[in-house]
Amino acid sequence: ASLSRNTHEDYYTSFAGFIQYVDTFQNEKSSMLYAPTYLALLATESIDSSCVLQTGCGIYQKDTKIKDHNWHRGGYGDISLARALEVRSEVALRMAMDQVYGNDTTTFNKTISSYLGGRPNELIGLLTFYNAVANNGCMVEIISDSEKMHIINPQFAPRKHIDVLKKTLGHSVSQGLSKKAGVSYSNVAACGRGFMISDTTWRLELCGYFPQESPEYTIMVMLEKEGLPRSSGVMCGYVMKESIDGICSILIQVNLE
C-alpha cells in the first residue's frame, strides 16, 4: 500500500490496495511496535535518544525472557536509545519502558493506541502512524481517493519528538537493520518487526516513507515466511526498494510525457 501527497495540502490523502489477512490479534498484541514505543518513551521527557542502556549479552528477564536477534553473538552491550531503534534492540527498548513507565502499562498502552489512530493491532493503524510521522504530526484517516479527507489529530505528538524519531528512522535505513530499503537517489526512512503467527510461520513487516527530507510516499510491506532465514529489514526491505524504484520510474515516465 502507498499514500501520496495531495498537491494542494500538506498531508497525504490517497490510499491504494490493502491486503486482508487472517486475524492475528494476540500475536500482534505481544509484538513490540518499535517506532511508536520509541516515540512514547521520548514523549515522557524522562529519557532522550542519547540515553545509554546496558543490554549485556542481549537477554532480558522480567515477566518473560526477551532476546535480541543477535543474543547468540553476544548482544549489543551498552547501546543508546536511538541506536536501539536503528537495530531494533527489543531488550534496550523494554529496559527503557521499565525505567520510564514502570508498572504503568495502562498509560503506555493508551499512548500507543492514540499513536495508531485507535487501531493498535491492525496494519492500517501502523500505516496511519508512519503517515502521520511523515506529515510532521498531522494524523489523517487512511482513505480512498474518492473519500473526503478526515483529520484525526492535527498534531498527535510534539514536533520536537517527531523530528528526533524521523532522524532515527532515517538512520535505520542508512546505518541500521533496514539498509536493504535504501536507494541511491533518495533518502528513505523505515523500521520493521517480525513475529510468529503460527507454529511455523512468521509475519515480517516494514513501514516507512520517502524522500526522508520532504516525504511524498508512505509505504508498507508485509510478508509471511516459514522457516529460516527471516528478516523484515532484508526481505521486506528488498520489496520496499523495488517498490520505490517502480514508483520513481512511473513518475519519470509521466514527467517525460
Side-chain angles (χ1 to χ4, degrees):
S2 65
L3 299 111
S4 59
R5 184 183 297 276
N6 184 312
T7 55
H8 303 294
E9 303 289 352
D10 191 27
Y11 35 67
Y12 299 80
T13 57
S14 64
F15 167 68
F18 226 90
I19 300 173
Q20 298 297 320
Y21 60 94
V22 176
D23 177 34
T24 56
F25 176 80
Q26 292 302 326
N27 306 72
E28 295 186 46
K29 187 176 180 181
S30 62
S31 174
M32 174 172 283
L33 294 161
Y34 290 89
T37 295
Y38 182 75
L39 185 60
L41 291 168
L42 296 178
T44 67
E45 300 201 346
S46 298
I47 193 170
D48 62 36
S49 60
S50 64
C51 178
V52 175
L53 289 308
Q54 297 177 332
T55 68
C57 62
I59 301 175
Y60 183 52
Q61 178 77 52
K62 194 180 178 185
D63 297 329
T64 59
K65 183 179 289 186
I66 299 168
K67 296 180 179 180
D68 275 339
H69 66 93
N70 67 339
W71 69 271
H72 57 290
R73 297 194 300 272
Y76 286 111
D78 292 354
I79 187 172
S80 71
L81 187 64
R83 185 60 179 164
L85 181 62
E86 294 169 17
V87 297
R88 297 204 305 277
S89 170
E90 183 173 357
V91 168
L93 289 168
R94 292 282 182 184
M95 285 181 168
M97 286 169 58
D98 289 343
Q99 176 182 322
V100 172
Y101 284 95
N103 294 322
D104 189 7
T105 56
T106 299
T107 298
F108 175 77
N109 290 335
K110 285 178 65 176
T111 300
I112 296 297
S113 181
S114 70
Y115 286 175
L116 276 68
R119 306 172 80 169
N121 292 288
E122 300 178 44
L123 285 179
I124 197 72
L126 195 57
L127 187 60
T128 298
F129 169 79
Y130 277 90
N131 194 54
V133 171
N135 287 332
N136 296 319
C138 182
M139 181 176 288
V140 300
E141 187 175 0
I142 306 304
I143 58 175
S144 67
D145 288 330
S146 61
E147 295 177 295
K148 185 178 180 180
M149 191 276 301
H150 170 66
I151 295 178
I152 299 173
N153 191 330
Q155 192 67 46
F156 83 96
R159 176 65 185 270
K160 64 178 181 179
H161 297 144
I162 291 175
D163 285 345
V164 174
L165 172 60
K166 292 178 75 172
K167 179 180 179 181
T168 311
L169 289 174
H171 287 166
S172 176
V173 176
S174 65
Q175 59 190 36
L177 291 190
S178 303
K179 284 182 179 179
K180 292 295 184 180
V183 295
S184 60
Y185 50 84
S186 179
N187 291 327
V188 180
C191 188
R193 65 171 179 164
F195 56 93
M196 292 191 75
I197 59 175
S198 73
D199 291 339
T200 59
T201 306
W202 282 70
R203 172 159 296 136
L204 309 176
E205 299 171 359
L206 186 68
C207 197
Y209 52 84
F210 80 99
Q212 181 186 348
E213 298 79 5
S214 183
E216 294 288 341
Y217 295 90
T218 302
I219 300 176
M220 169 172 273
V221 177
M222 184 272 287
L223 302 173
E224 291 185 1
K225 177 73 167 58
E226 292 191 4
L228 296 171
R230 55 177 181 268
S231 168
S232 60
V234 173
M235 296 175 179
C236 294
Y238 174 79
V239 176
M240 182 173 285
K241 177 188 181 301
E242 292 294 299
S243 299
I244 293 171
D245 284 341
I247 290 170
C248 292
S249 178
I250 292 171
L251 292 174
I252 290 172
Q253 291 298 321
V254 170
N255 290 334
L256 289 175
E257 293 174 1

